[in-house]
Amino acid sequence: MTERKPPGVGFESWVDRQIRQAEARGEFTELPGAGKPMPEIADTPYDELWWIKRKMAREGLSVLPPTLALRKEAEDVLAAVPALPSERAVRRALDDINAKIREVMFKPPPGPPLGLKPYDVEKIVEEWRAARNPT
């Protein structure tokens, strides 16, 4: 819609005409969400950033303070250890996360305290071996 409202034509009638012409061209037939109910937002207080939050949820994004993101990453690494295929992979994963933990310990970023210390690689590797070879 690049045409301008002609002088002397009421704004409302001009807009109505534009909508009617777009409907006739079929520009509203394949819109996403057509025929679906509007998402429920009536019970929540007004939030100026509602659309950003909804977009982030739809895209699977989250924004955490750096220390909380590192805590989550550390938990994910520990949870993934039993499925790793080799001792070398276990050591590499633990060394990587330990390096990140040490960096935050010595240069704390803003936000809540980390509350983690580097993992004992040898202890976790022993537990990994024991889980692999129950003798």
Side-chain angles (χ1 to χ4, degrees):
M1 180 175 92
T2 58
E3 83 182 69
R4 298 179 66 110
K5 180 182 88 57
V9 176
F11 185 74
E12 187 171 344
S13 62
W14 180 74
V15 170
D16 290 337
R17 184 171 52 93
Q18 295 292 319
I19 292 172
R20 202 171 30 261
Q21 289 173 349
E23 284 178 331
R25 288 190 303 266
E27 293 182 16
F28 297 125
T29 55
E30 297 292 327
L31 293 176
K36 297 179 184 171
M38 292 292 291
E40 290 296 322
I41 58 172
D43 293 337
T44 59
Y46 179 73
D47 181 5
E48 291 180 355
L49 301 176
W50 66 268
W51 62 277
I52 293 174
K53 292 176 182 176
R54 186 166 298 150
K55 173 82 172 163
M56 289 177 68
R58 208 172 38 245
E59 300 287 330
L61 301 173
S62 68
V63 179
L64 291 173
T67 52
L68 295 181
L70 183 55
R71 283 186 197 181
K72 174 74 171 107
E73 185 180 349
E75 288 175 9
D76 292 345
V77 167
L78 277 184
V81 162
L84 293 176
S86 67
E87 183 176 323
R88 181 184 213 165
V90 173
R91 288 181 184 278
R92 187 175 329 117
L94 292 172
D95 288 341
D96 290 346
I97 197 66
N98 279 347
K100 291 177 182 180
I101 291 171
R102 283 188 188 95
E103 182 179 341
V104 171
M105 285 173 63
F106 296 121
K107 294 188 298 184
L114 178 62
L116 284 178
K117 61 182 182 182
Y119 294 120
D120 183 348
V121 176
E122 296 305 320
K123 178 182 175 215
I124 294 174
V125 167
E126 280 302 316
E127 292 170 358
W128 176 84
R129 278 191 202 132
R132 290 270 207 205
N133 304 319
T135 16

